[in-house]
Amino acid sequence: MSSEENKEIAHRILRDVLEQRNLDAVEELYAADAVEHSPMRDFRGHEEIKESFAETLDAFSDYTVTVEDMIAEGDTVAARLTERGVHDGELMGIEPTGNEFEHQTMAFLRLEDGKVAEWWVLPDNLSFLQQLGVVESPGE
């Protein structure tokens, strides 16, 4: 597949799965044995990856992801994203704070045969947790 086709798959994940909240699109966009690597843990296969997306969507209202930059070469797509939302659902044992957040995330996808085989998600968790009020900001 071309770099542009691979980038379109990444855009579809953001648009179809996150924006339109269509978790069933995971089965079309990800290989059956795909792995999502995140700081919390690895999610393997369609069902666990759907659970990962569902946890995010359930924890935040007004959740959006903006693509700031996206490049592709060979079977890899890299993206710099801005995530925004309101924390009004439990996430990783953190009770809802009602706080708004905006933070950067780096994402790297490796594709095989037109489907995501691996996805590395690297959010700025420190900034995120500071905005939720769970971790103090320096100087506070």
Side-chain angles (χ1 to χ4, degrees):
M1 296 191 64
S2 73
S3 294
E4 289 306 311
E5 290 170 317
N6 288 343
K7 286 178 14 180
E8 178 55 26
I9 291 168
H11 280 290
R12 285 196 56 209
I13 293 167
L14 301 175
R15 182 182 62 241
D16 297 358
V17 178
L18 291 172
E19 191 177 299
Q20 297 176 5
R21 298 176 175 258
N22 178 8
L23 297 179
D24 291 334
V26 166
E27 295 181 21
E28 180 184 343
L29 298 168
Y30 286 78
D33 60 349
V35 180
E36 177 187 309
H37 305 281
S38 80
M40 296 162 303
R41 70 178 187 97
D42 287 351
F43 298 89
R44 299 180 181 281
H46 290 159
E47 292 309 310
E48 286 188 13
I49 292 169
K50 285 181 187 181
E51 288 173 23
S52 170
F53 283 120
E55 287 173 13
T56 297
L57 294 171
D58 290 346
F60 310 121
S61 64
D62 299 327
Y63 181 71
T64 63
V65 179
T66 302
V67 177
E68 305 297 346
D69 292 302
M70 185 177 288
I71 58 173
E73 185 174 321
D75 64 356
T76 302
V77 176
R80 183 173 61 90
L81 311 168
T82 300
E83 296 182 76
R84 296 175 183 87
V86 177
H87 178 227
D88 50 16
E90 184 180 323
L91 179 71
M92 300 180 301
I94 301 169
E95 292 297 318
T97 62
N99 292 353
E100 293 182 10
F101 66 90
E102 176 179 314
H103 69 90
Q104 298 292 304
T105 294
M106 301 297 157
F108 301 85
L109 291 80
R110 186 179 63 78
L111 295 104
E112 289 180 2
D113 301 320
K115 294 191 177 203
V116 176
E118 290 184 277
W119 180 338
W120 292 265
V121 181
L122 303 166
D124 180 357
N125 281 336
L126 178 58
S127 172
F128 172 66
L129 293 172
Q130 287 171 335
Q131 291 175 58
L132 296 188
V134 176
V135 173
E136 285 189 24
S137 297
E140 287 187 0

